Amino acid sequence: MTPYSLAFYVHTVTTGTVLGLRPADTPDRVAAVMGTDFAENAFGRRTMLRDYGLAEFHFHRERGGAPWSGHHFSLQVHRLARRDRTLPGEVLRARYGSFAPRLRFEKLQRLLHRRGVPLVEIPENSANAPYYRTFWQPGSRTAVSYVAVHGEYSTPGRLRVGDVYRIQAPVSAQEVGMRTART
């Protein structure tokens, strides 16, 4: 893994942004930064996803025809295990270079700890337990999920225990509290 791609992950978890893009940014703002090479999926008239390969941006609106607003973004780190060097997209590769097929959670956590950026474990959704563990960065409201236990139909076969599955923002304190209340 290049130090630059590690810097990308550390920056994302620390700031809760991707290349300065916040979770609430509009589709136009995201396209201005990430480019127009994306796959777009609509789920009804009120939910839309733009998939840039590694990064996904999710948008919602109150009703059909209303303007879109950003809801959250996620880095689908598990997709890198496919070893498709183009997957991160041109914009991220131009800025950060190549991305390794795996991101080890311990390495990311260690780099964040050195910078004084804590990760706090939060209860996993029951549908994902015990296969995944999730840690939250309260300042940036970012969550990092990694493979904790392999499950034949529950985890990607190309990932190893300890590999990051996804990074997502924002994850609110309310969501963390709801997870805690369920356990």
Side-chain angles (χ1 to χ4, degrees), residues 24-171:
D25 282 337
T26 66
D28 289 341
R29 168 90 172 102
V30 172
V33 173
M34 295 294 292
T36 56
D37 187 15
F38 56 81
E40 183 175 286
N41 293 300
F43 306 97
R45 296 173 45 118
R46 297 176 41 199
T47 306
M48 176 176 63
L49 159 72
R50 287 198 175 163
D51 184 345
Y52 287 87
L54 175 60
E56 290 182 351
F57 292 86
H58 299 255
F59 307 94
H60 287 234
R61 60 184 175 186
E62 289 184 30
R63 63 190 179 294
W68 293 103
S69 61
H71 184 266
H72 70 278
F73 70 78
S74 60
L75 300 179
Q76 301 295 334
V77 181
H78 63 95
R79 292 178 181 169
L80 293 169
R82 297 179 197 158
R83 298 185 179 275
D84 177 354
R85 299 247 182 237
T86 64
L87 188 114
E90 286 184 39
V91 173
L92 289 176
R93 284 192 335 244
R95 176 102 179 248
Y96 292 100
S98 63
F99 285 73
R102 291 180 180 83
L103 171 62
R104 302 296 293 166
F105 176 75
E106 283 184 4
K107 186 171 201 165
L108 178 62
Q109 185 178 37
R110 187 173 55 250
L111 289 169
L112 290 164
H113 179 73
R114 285 184 194 157
R115 288 162 179 77
V117 179
L119 290 176
V120 179
E121 186 164 15
I122 59 175
E124 190 56 59
N125 289 324
S126 60
N128 295 333
Y131 305 107
Y132 296 92
R133 289 176 67 188
T134 299
F135 284 72
W136 184 55
Q137 204 305 301
S140 67
R141 298 175 33 197
T142 303
V144 179
S145 297
Y146 74 92
V147 176
V149 175
H150 257 296
E152 185 176 355
Y153 301 107
S154 302
T155 58
R158 293 181 177 164
L159 293 185
R160 298 178 298 211
V161 170
D163 287 344
V164 172
Y165 180 78
R166 177 181 61 211
I167 298 171
Q168 180 178 325
V171 174

